[in-house]
Amino acid sequence: ELAKKCEIVGSELIREYLQGTDVIVVQKQGGFSKAERQQVIADSQRLMNTEVIEESSTKITLQHFRTEDVPIKQLVQRMYFLTHSMLTDLQQTKTRTVYESIIERDMTVGKFYLNIISHLRSFLMGRQISKEFTLIELQYIRLLIERIERIGDDVKRLASEGIKGKKVPIAELAFLQKQYEQAFKAYWEKDITIARGFWDNEERDRQRFASNVNLLRLYDNIKDIADLVI
């Protein structure tokens, strides 16, 4: 078991997680303030399979419970289906409760992202050997999950606008959801024909969302997935 002691939180805590540290000890000489303690807990909640196992006035110990036996393919698919469900609910609701649920689910998307990145680093640094993918394919998967994570952020942003009373563009979201399904299928099945449809229609589709920066950003992230087809 590998133990690490971190004197700062936030990015360093996440870095230790990504490097595969099993036990992370966050220390503060003189003790944590209430805000600092809450920040450590909040940071730990962003990480999948990580729990606080020991706590004192000057030390918080976190353990990363590993799940290397879960295939990367399955983790990526879970991440995709989670963001897909967020997009579905965004079209079908006008209630604050569901909008808030969409926003909360984006935190889970972030956990999946960091968990997959941790797995990818283990493979790319030679700590583990992947039986699923080649090294080049692993690099493309990193690009894929970056786009999926951004799509989650885009949907969360639209849900936040819904909470503020801004009208959700149902027809445009339905179109984007179909595009998302096609882009993911094109990547997963390495289907050049589907991907070519994005390339041929890019100018027309981008013009459709030119007046809405949030929808245009969502479209671009979806199309970027199709661009990964090789």
Side-chain angles (χ1 to χ4, degrees):
E1 184 176 83
L2 177 62
K4 280 277 189 174
K5 292 186 177 180
C6 307
E7 291 294 339
I8 60 175
V9 299
S11 60
E12 176 125 350
L13 173 59
I14 295 172
R15 186 186 69 185
E16 295 297 331
Y17 173 89
L18 293 176
Q19 289 180 346
T21 305
D22 293 320
V23 178
I24 305 171
V25 182
V26 185
Q27 297 190 110
K28 176 72 180 293
Q29 188 174 5
F32 294 99
S33 68
K34 180 179 179 180
E36 289 170 336
R37 182 175 302 280
Q38 289 175 336
Q39 185 62 55
V40 175
I41 301 302
D43 288 333
S44 70
Q45 290 173 342
R46 296 172 58 193
L47 308 176
M48 185 166 285
N49 306 313
T50 300
E51 301 290 342
V52 175
I53 59 172
E54 185 180 345
E55 188 173 347
S56 70
S57 61
T58 59
K59 181 174 70 174
I60 300 175
T61 303
L62 309 168
Q63 182 163 354
H64 175 201
F65 297 94
R66 296 178 172 277
T67 56
E68 274 82 1
D69 55 326
V70 180
I72 286 181
K73 180 177 181 179
Q74 184 176 336
L75 293 173
V76 173
Q77 289 175 329
R78 288 178 181 175
M79 193 176 177
Y80 162 72
F81 285 121
L82 186 58
T83 52
H84 186 277
S85 73
M86 291 165 63
L87 194 49
T88 298
D89 288 349
L90 186 61
Q91 298 168 59
Q92 298 177 350
T93 187
K94 294 182 180 178
T95 68
R96 183 182 184 92
T97 300
V98 178
Y99 284 137
E100 291 176 344
S101 170
I102 291 169
I103 293 170
E104 290 172 0
R105 270 177 277 170
D106 184 60
M107 182 178 292
T108 304
V109 173
K111 288 183 179 183
F112 271 110
Y113 174 75
L114 291 173
N115 195 19
I116 296 169
I117 288 293
S118 179
H119 281 66
L120 294 179
R121 284 194 175 188
S122 292
F123 293 131
L124 294 173
M125 295 176 67
R127 294 198 297 263
Q128 291 180 266
I129 298 176
S130 173
K131 298 179 181 179
E132 293 182 89
F133 304 104
T134 66
L135 289 179
I136 292 178
E137 287 173 332
L138 290 172
Q139 291 170 341
Y140 271 88
I141 285 175
R142 176 162 188 164
L143 295 174
L144 170 66
I145 64 172
E146 285 176 354
R147 272 61 183 182
I148 295 176
E149 196 270 339
R150 291 175 189 171
I151 287 168
D153 287 343
D154 293 335
V155 178
K156 177 183 72 173
R157 195 175 293 110
L158 289 166
S160 297
E161 290 186 347
I163 289 177
K164 296 174 183 176
K166 189 168 183 179
K167 184 178 179 180
V168 175
I170 304 299
E172 286 79 4
L173 288 175
F175 172 80
L176 287 168
Q177 184 167 33
K178 290 181 180 178
Q179 293 293 93
Y180 190 22
E181 292 166 359
Q182 289 295 100
F184 189 77
K185 180 179 180 181
Y187 175 87
W188 216 248
E189 298 180 2
K190 300 294 181 285
D191 193 320
I192 295 293
T193 301
I194 296 177
R196 186 177 292 116
F198 282 87
W199 307 331
D200 292 343
N201 298 319
E202 178 180 8
E203 184 176 353
R204 181 198 68 191
D205 291 341
R206 295 193 88 251
Q207 185 61 37
R208 176 173 182 169
F209 304 111
S211 62
N212 189 316
V213 64
N214 290 327
L215 294 180
L216 182 59
R217 185 188 297 112
L218 177 55
Y219 168 79
D220 285 340
N221 284 322
I222 290 171
K223 181 186 173 294
D224 281 351
I225 293 175
D227 289 343
L228 296 174
V229 177
I230 56 173

